[in-house]
Amino acid sequence: MSRTSDTSDVGSDVTPDVLVVGGGIIGLVTAWRAAQRGFATAVLDPEPGGGAAQVAAGMLAAVTELHYGEETLLGLNLASARRYPEFTAELTELTGQDLGYRRCGTLAVALDADDRAHLRELHALQRQSGLRSEWLSGRECRRLEPMLAPGVRGGLRVDGDHQIDPRRLAAALVTACERTGVAFHRVRAERLTVVRDRATGVVTSDGTVLSAGQVVLAAGSLSGRLAGVPAEVLPPVRPVKGQVLRLTVPVRYAPFLSRTVRAVVRGSHVYLVPRENGELVVGATSEELGWDTTVTAGGVYELLRDAHELVPGITELPLTETRAGLRPGSPDNAPLLGPTALDGLLLATGHYRNGVLLTPVTGDALAHALTTGELPEEARPFSPRRFTAALTEQPA
Ligand code: GLY
């Protein structure tokens, strides 16, 4: 590197093989896995471990968040979910940190006849896709979760959809990176530098020029805004706002819920994710409002109203936090992973609603791509080139 910026670095005076722009969970897992493969690696972020993971609920919901038309994404989601037990065990062993990984399962419930019809369709799609889920009557749902409203009309029990605490995950990934020798530059990336059709590094917000063998753009919803990235490889990601609440379950009410409970109420998703430490996360709005991260009265009202219809007892709980984050949405709701049409520039972004779930598989896919120049088989459908090809296709 030409000049070091404000860092807490290990070896920051060395030109890294890999420079990761963005220190959210996706950037961190990429850096950690790259460093494990022997690459001298650096991460550029004013606040490593921050970003959407500070807001996300941490559902690992490959089965309950299945949507029509997203069967390819399902394959990647399941591949990542399968990695979770080993991934969390490895991180905990390295860092000594508990990640709040909880294999408690999920119950998706219906409150009226329309919801029930909707859930029946989801059940059919899950079965067609070879996924495990069990249809329960309203009574059976309440037997599992006695705090559910008497009006619950039925539900889907999915024992394979688990949860993790994304804040703990982010903190552990920062530690894992530090222990693996990743250097941190606590500044913003201002511009990608490109020399003779190859990405060569970035210029930071304090004017420092950082060179690198390969650059990975992993800046979440901000990934489409880095100056200097040629238009044809600029990732088509956009911010999708999610407001999320945190409540606390007093010990006298525990166990309030024993698994994640979710529903679609008046067309909006609402979920309640109970942590072992008594935190209850209620999410999330989905709003296309650009870079706005205001917590609004309307957002909080709607979440509490819908959550209250599912679990009336939540109104007794202290409301401890309200926050909004930005999901990195992509045109097909799937991530952009691996090499771009610009040599030396790779992407790890666009994870939309699945960033936490896709963290393990993203780390492995990017490490593979950095090493071989190619994505592993399971990640090939998610090459950013699927969008570049569409952009450059000429009409016949
Ligand atoms: N995956 C949950 C959300 O994005 O709200």
Side-chain angles (χ1 to χ4, degrees):
M1 283 173 217
S2 341
R3 188 150 66 88
T4 54
S5 53
D6 177 20
T7 63
S8 61
D9 305 346
V10 189
S12 64
D13 49 341
V14 182
T15 296
D17 303 313
V18 176
L19 177 62
V20 182
V21 177
I25 51 176
I26 295 297
L28 291 170
V29 78
T30 300
W32 177 39
R33 292 306 195 198
Q36 282 181 320
R37 297 243 182 161
F39 290 109
T41 304
V43 170
L44 192 70
D45 195 306
E47 223 181 297
Q54 292 300 315
V55 182
M59 291 179 298
L60 307 174
V63 179
T64 37
E65 289 211 353
L66 175 62
H67 296 287
Y68 278 104
E70 293 186 1
E71 289 78 5
T72 312
L73 177 58
L74 171 67
L76 194 72
N77 286 344
L78 290 173
S80 207
R82 276 193 296 274
R83 281 166 163 83
Y84 248 97
E86 212 174 304
F87 174 76
T88 50
E90 186 184 352
L91 256 182
T92 295
E93 192 180 323
L94 176 63
T95 65
Q97 295 172 28
D98 172 22
L99 308 178
Y101 177 48
R102 202 175 169 196
R103 296 189 222 196
C104 53
T106 297
L107 184 62
V109 301
L111 286 166
D112 61 27
D114 284 352
D115 297 343
R116 192 165 56 179
H118 208 88
L119 218 49
R120 285 277 193 202
E121 282 178 25
L122 175 62
H123 191 209
L125 180 62
Q126 289 167 343
R127 283 161 54 152
Q128 273 166 34
S129 309
L131 303 171
R132 251 194 236 161
S133 63
E134 184 190 356
W135 183 263
L136 302 183
S137 66
R139 189 185 298 234
E140 287 168 327
C141 289
R142 280 187 299 280
R143 206 173 297 136
L144 271 187
E145 294 296 341
M147 296 305 285
L148 280 175
V152 164
R153 308 275 290 265
L156 275 179
R157 175 179 177 165
V158 180
D159 288 344
D161 276 358
H162 304 147
Q163 60 149 301
I164 192 166
D165 184 336
R167 293 177 177 175
R168 292 178 184 217
L169 172 62
L173 283 169
V174 170
T175 306
C177 283
E178 286 167 349
R179 301 234 162 120
T180 322
V182 173
F184 283 98
H185 298 268
R186 295 173 200 274
V187 282
R188 246 179 343 98
E190 194 75 45
R191 183 164 51 83
L192 183 78
T193 51
V194 179
V195 177
R196 283 191 290 279
D197 292 331
R198 185 178 174 87
T200 55
V202 299
V203 180
T204 69
S205 50
D206 65 5
T208 305
V209 179
L210 300 176
S211 306
Q214 302 187 76
V215 177
V216 181
L217 182 49
S221 57
L222 292 165
S223 301
R225 299 220 320 178
L226 183 63
V229 180
E232 63 280 13
V233 290
L234 199 63
V237 292
R238 67 184 197 287
V240 183
K241 176 178 172 183
Q243 299 189 48
V244 174
L245 317 177
R246 282 173 163 81
L247 295 85
T248 304
V249 178
V251 176
R252 66 182 184 282
Y253 291 152
F256 188 77
L257 294 173
S258 61
R259 74 202 69 223
T260 295
V261 169
R262 56 184 303 154
V264 179
V265 183
R266 284 175 287 271
S268 301
H269 289 269
V270 64
Y271 43 79
L272 292 85
V273 182
R275 306 244 193 270
E276 247 153 17
N277 65 5
E279 183 177 83
L280 180 68
V281 186
V282 178
T285 65
S286 188
E287 304 165 76
E288 302 267 0
L289 290 174
W291 303 100
D292 174 58
T293 51
T294 316
V295 173
T296 62
V300 175
Y301 165 72
E302 282 168 25
L303 287 172
L304 287 177
R305 180 196 61 195
D306 295 351
H308 174 254
E309 279 192 37
L310 278 186
V311 180
I314 61 152
T315 49
E316 303 297 319
L317 306 180
L319 174 62
T320 33
E321 193 184 316
T322 61
R323 202 151 163 185
L326 298 173
R327 305 176 184 89
S330 77
D332 58 5
N333 300 336
L336 291 86
L337 304 176
T340 65
L342 178 67
D343 278 350
L345 179 68
L346 296 88
L347 300 181
T349 188
H351 292 71
Y352 189 39
R353 299 181 71 94
N354 296 308
V356 180
L357 173 61
L358 289 173
T359 294
V361 79
T362 298
D364 292 346
L366 265 290
H368 186 97
L370 287 163
T371 310
T372 65
E374 300 204 339
L375 283 168
E377 186 70 37
E378 65 192 348
R380 281 196 194 141
F382 306 98
S383 162
R385 292 186 169 129
R386 71 191 188 274
F387 297 118
T388 319
L391 262 182
T392 52
E393 249 164 41
Q394 299 297 321

